[in-house]
Amino acid sequence: ILNHRNWSFGPVANYRFARKDVDDDVIAQFKDVNAALEFGGFLAWTWIGGEDPRHRLAFSGQFLQDVTGNHDGFLGTLSGRYFVPVTRPLTLSVGVAATWGSSDYMQTYFGVDAVDAGRSGLAPYSLGDGVRDVRFPLMAIFSLSPRWHLSAGGIIKVLVSDAANSPIVAVRGDDTQIILGAGFAYAW
């Protein structure tokens, strides 16, 4: 909605996939969690380097609320990223982000109620609101032209606190996940 040299804000929509048909035999015994549609917004501030606009430092906040009633919760994320030009076509980016989840969200995705405990054999686990994860994104951007860019990178995501201590994670899963990706971007 706001497109300023240093400030931006606008709407955000997120589709959170369902948890069903899980490959893990124990977690597959849990009740299914339906897909959720979340709406919210973001606010961001960016410092842009004087000599090269690819040199940037960006901070942002994002808020998402479930509007489908599938987890009835909300999430808040704070993040920071630093972009540094290495050569004329290549820019590298590093960052850090953390997401806080409401108790409804956390219990839906990390809790083990009495029914799921009875089905799976895992201990019951209840949790409240708190920090869900910390993420460390790394990215390389190769500028094919002033408008077209190719990027590749990854995110190291570490579940923390009550989310990491959930039997779903601590007994059956892993608190560290790595996500890799690549894409094209057009800038105007």
Side-chain angles (χ1 to χ4, degrees), residues 153-174:
I155 299 171
I156 300 168
K157 177 180 177 180
V158 181
L159 295 170
V160 296
S161 189
D162 289 345
N165 294 328
S166 166
I168 295 169
V169 177
V171 176
R172 300 304 302 180
D174 191 338

Side-chain angles (χ1 to χ4, degrees), residues 4-8 43-48 57-61 79:
H4 181 271
R5 178 173 168 82
N6 302 102
W7 289 95
S8 59
L43 174 66
W45 176 83
T46 303
W47 168 84
I48 301 171
L57 180 62
F59 297 98
S60 67
S79 65

Side-chain angles (χ1 to χ4, degrees), residues 1 8 12 21 31 47 56 60 67-68 88 94 129 139 171:
I1 295 172
S8 59
V12 176
D21 299 326
K31 295 180 301 293
W47 168 84
R56 296 171 180 246
S60 67
V67 296
T68 55
R88 187 66 197 138
V94 297
D129 56 357
M139 184 170 47
V171 176

Side-chain angles (χ1 to χ4, degrees), residues 46-162:
T46 303
W47 168 84
I48 301 171
E51 292 182 21
D52 189 335
R54 296 177 302 153
H55 190 197
R56 296 171 180 246
L57 180 62
F59 297 98
S60 67
Q62 176 179 285
F63 176 84
L64 287 168
Q65 170 69 50
D66 175 28
V67 296
T68 55
N70 290 326
H71 65 73
D72 290 323
F74 58 88
L75 299 160
T77 300
L78 295 175
S79 65
R81 292 196 71 148
Y82 178 62
F83 297 83
V84 60
V86 177
T87 63
R88 187 66 197 138
L90 180 64
T91 303
L92 298 179
S93 171
V94 297
V96 64
T99 297
W100 183 89
S102 70
S103 58
D104 289 329
Y105 169 86
M106 297 290 274
Q107 187 63 33
T108 299
Y109 293 100
F110 299 101
V112 181
D113 65 17
V115 173
D116 289 336
R119 290 178 177 178
S120 68
L122 293 177
Y125 186 74
S126 182
L127 62 166
D129 56 357
V131 178
R132 178 192 69 185
D133 65 60
V134 177
R135 298 179 305 282
F136 304 95
L138 306 166
M139 184 170 47
I141 304 163
F142 189 81
S143 298
L144 302 171
S145 73
R147 300 237 182 252
W148 287 99
H149 310 279
L150 173 65
S151 65
I155 299 171
I156 300 168
K157 177 180 177 180
V158 181
L159 295 170
V160 296
S161 189
D162 289 345

